[in-house]
Amino acid sequence: MGVIVLSNNGKYNHYNILTKYSKMADRIIIVSPFLAADMPRVLSGMHTIKHIELYTNLDGYGMAGNVLSAICGLYKYGFEKGVSVSVKYNDCLHGKAYLLYDGNEGKGCIITSGNFTDNGLKNNHEYGVFLDNESMQEELRNQIYSLDCSELSYEEVIELCAKADEFAMKHLATKIPVFKAADYIKNRMILPDNCRFFIKVLGAEGRPIRPGYTIIEDNEIGFRKIPSRISKDDILVCHAKKVGKVLGVCKILEIEAKEKTNFDTDRWNQKLPTSCISEKYSSHWWDYDIRTSDLEAEYNETKKEGEHITIVGGDKLKGCLQCGCVEITREFAQFVMDRISKV
């Protein structure tokens, strides 16, 4: 494989690559100053890992209480799953790296800007590289092992967590308001001009889309047949069949389809890799009552003269949605994006 460039908004997502290659490994070295509050959930996709070495930072960023709580959860995960856990810390640590091993055999490593958190591995715009060069992985491991670190046992973590809780109770303070420039900037993602836009129906009669499903994690969207007009970087407005709600907006990353079925009756077996560009809305689309039919009505009431919903001049979607994928105008696609960006 050599080198893979990683980006959470691209084809190669940090978490997907990490979990994919972890299946060939039984040990992981995690180097990350910030940690997921619920580390067991992040580790849940790495079933074969039986040994975890963690290098982190306690006091360097004023986050000791949060980090200690995460480490406590990691140790408990180890006890419950029969996974050995070793924790070391260095308060100058800022780098992030993840190294996988089967015994002593390197199975690849990631060097990245992303912390071992949901945001770092899935949501933030982080960049990194995956390497499967054993000599380079060995050099990286030697650099990590040469750090001047202190070890942190489970008993010490429990004691420190209690002290951190006691400290927090003694120093309750009024939260100081934080100035956020974004509150004063019109939050509008302008869709590109140099691509086409489509309404894409997801779900089937017997397998409706349910709360919890997202186009963020499902980064392969299926077609019965790839429409001839679809190209790389085109935009899909995703609609949930039967549910009737908008799931969000995603971009097509590659136009070469991969033949794949996710269940026995999956007729949408031509899969294209996609990346969600409406993460905030799409991560909890079920909490919002944004229905495609309502957007159609709103748009038709406010559109300018000569504007339409479909590229062929139509202003209704009901019949079009039976087709599975219909080309729409840039104006309507932008209207949908503006609407879901306000949540």
Side-chain angles (χ1 to χ4, degrees):
M1 181 63 71
V3 179
I4 303 174
V5 176
L6 305 180
S7 166
N8 291 342
N9 62 336
K11 180 178 179 180
Y12 296 109
N13 170 289
H14 283 75
Y15 184 75
N16 291 345
I17 292 295
L18 189 58
T19 52
K20 175 182 177 180
Y21 284 89
S22 74
K23 292 178 173 62
M24 299 183 290
D26 64 2
R27 178 161 64 99
I28 185 171
I29 299 174
I30 299 171
V31 182
S32 177
F34 291 85
L35 303 172
D38 186 359
M39 289 191 73
R41 183 177 51 77
V42 181
L43 289 161
S44 64
M46 307 178 199
H47 307 291
T48 61
I49 297 298
K50 296 301 178 184
H51 309 279
I52 298 172
E53 298 175 41
L54 172 65
Y55 289 78
T56 192
N57 185 318
L58 281 186
D59 291 331
Y61 304 102
M63 296 289 290
N66 293 340
V67 173
L68 287 165
S69 177
I71 294 172
C72 184
L74 175 63
Y75 267 120
K76 290 178 179 178
Y77 169 82
F79 297 146
E80 292 172 2
K81 301 293 184 180
V83 175
S84 68
V85 174
S86 170
V87 178
K88 296 180 175 68
Y89 70 93
N90 178 305
D91 285 335
C92 292
L93 180 68
H94 189 266
K96 299 93 181 173
Y98 311 107
L99 295 76
L100 296 165
Y101 292 89
D102 182 16
N104 288 318
E105 183 182 355
K107 291 299 180 181
C109 62
I110 291 173
I111 304 172
T112 178
S113 63
N115 284 291
F116 197 78
T117 62
D118 280 327
N119 283 336
L121 297 177
K122 299 178 184 179
N123 303 326
N124 287 346
H125 296 302
E126 308 282 359
Y127 301 97
V129 290
F130 171 83
L131 310 169
D132 66 356
N133 181 294
E134 278 206 65
S135 63
M136 294 181 73
Q137 182 168 341
E138 184 68 14
E139 182 179 348
L140 176 60
R141 183 175 68 172
N142 290 339
Q143 291 281 347
I144 295 166
Y145 281 178
S146 70
L147 285 172
D148 182 15
C149 291
S150 299
E151 194 156 2
L152 204 56
S153 69
Y154 174 67
E155 292 74 20
E156 288 173 311
V157 171
I158 292 296
E159 184 179 346
L160 286 169
C161 280
K163 291 184 180 298
D165 290 342
E166 182 182 343
F167 180 88
M169 291 300 295
K170 286 182 179 179
H171 296 83
L172 292 174
T174 303
K175 187 175 180 181
I176 300 173
V178 176
F179 173 77
K180 292 185 177 181
D183 292 342
Y184 300 89
I185 299 173
K186 188 175 181 181
N187 184 21
R188 188 177 192 232
M189 183 176 191
I190 304 298
L191 294 174
D193 290 315
N194 59 342
C195 66
R196 295 188 177 100
F197 305 87
F198 298 83
I199 287 269
K200 178 68 179 80
V201 179
L202 301 184
E205 290 291 338
R207 296 181 68 93
I209 298 294
R210 300 186 184 281
Y213 165 88
T214 75
I215 58 172
I216 301 172
E217 296 179 1
D218 186 4
N219 49 16
E220 291 182 335
I221 289 182
F223 297 77
R224 291 181 186 175
K225 181 180 179 181
I226 307 299
S228 59
R229 290 177 62 80
I230 281 188
S231 302
K232 182 177 180 290
D233 294 328
D234 283 352
I235 301 295
L236 302 178
V237 175
C238 297
H239 162 85
K241 187 180 182 70
K242 291 187 75 79
V243 178
K245 291 187 178 183
V246 175
L247 299 169
V249 180
C250 60
K251 179 173 70 172
I252 295 174
L253 299 178
E254 300 290 343
I255 198 57
E256 292 185 11
K258 177 170 64 174
E259 191 164 334
K260 175 182 175 184
T261 55
N262 294 331
F263 47 90
D264 290 342
T265 58
D266 186 1
R267 292 179 295 173
W268 308 82
N269 63 336
Q270 299 296 310
K271 311 294 185 185
L272 291 181
T274 59
S275 175
C276 178
I277 60 173
S278 58
E279 290 96 339
K280 181 181 176 183
Y281 170 81
S282 294
S283 62
H284 288 279
W285 61 266
W286 54 88
D287 289 334
Y288 310 105
D289 194 26
I290 298 185
R291 300 179 179 276
T292 309
S293 58
D294 293 339
L295 293 178
E296 172 194 302
E298 290 175 28
Y299 179 76
N300 282 328
E301 287 179 2
T302 59
K303 68 183 182 182
K304 296 178 183 177
E305 185 177 352
E307 291 182 346
H308 299 282
I309 290 179
T310 67
I311 200 70
V312 295
D315 294 318
K316 299 290 182 183
L317 284 171
K318 186 175 181 181
C320 299
L321 294 178
Q322 306 305 315
C323 302
C325 186
V326 175
E327 187 171 0
I328 57 175
T329 61
R330 182 187 183 282
E331 291 77 19
F332 182 63
Q334 184 68 63
F335 178 82
V336 175
M337 176 58 87
D338 289 347
R339 182 72 171 78
I340 65 177
S341 293
K342 291 179 181 178
V343 302

